[in-house]
Amino acid sequence: MPADELRRRPTRREVEVLRTYIAAGSVAAAAHELEITETTARQHLSSLYRRTGVANAAHAAYLLGKS
């Protein structure tokens, strides 16, 4: 697998934060459930969006569901 493709692939933790955020309905609730700060949760989501080239959680979830 090319290095560029690996860099675009989200980490397991980023995907876990995304799934928890979608299920919980807010970053605050996801952070609480995962026992991390809201800032950390937001950083994971931002990194995931940047890696996958999406603008929001709905688009990220759609793309991850297709793969």
Side-chain angles (χ1 to χ4, degrees):
M1 184 175 302
D4 186 48
E5 187 176 333
L6 284 174
R7 274 181 254 146
R8 288 186 302 214
R9 179 177 287 168
T11 65
R12 288 183 199 153
R13 186 62 165 174
E14 290 167 351
V15 173
E16 179 183 22
V17 172
L18 175 67
R19 288 183 174 146
T20 305
Y21 166 56
I22 291 168
S26 73
V27 173
H32 178 76
E33 187 171 325
L34 295 168
E35 298 180 349
I36 59 177
T37 66
E38 283 185 57
T39 300
T40 300
R42 288 182 194 283
Q43 288 172 339
H44 282 300
L45 292 171
S46 292
S47 178
L48 182 142
Y49 300 160
R50 197 171 37 257
R51 284 177 195 265
T52 57
V54 301
N56 57 51
H59 192 193
Y62 172 76
L63 287 179
L64 292 173
K66 287 181 65 175
S67 60

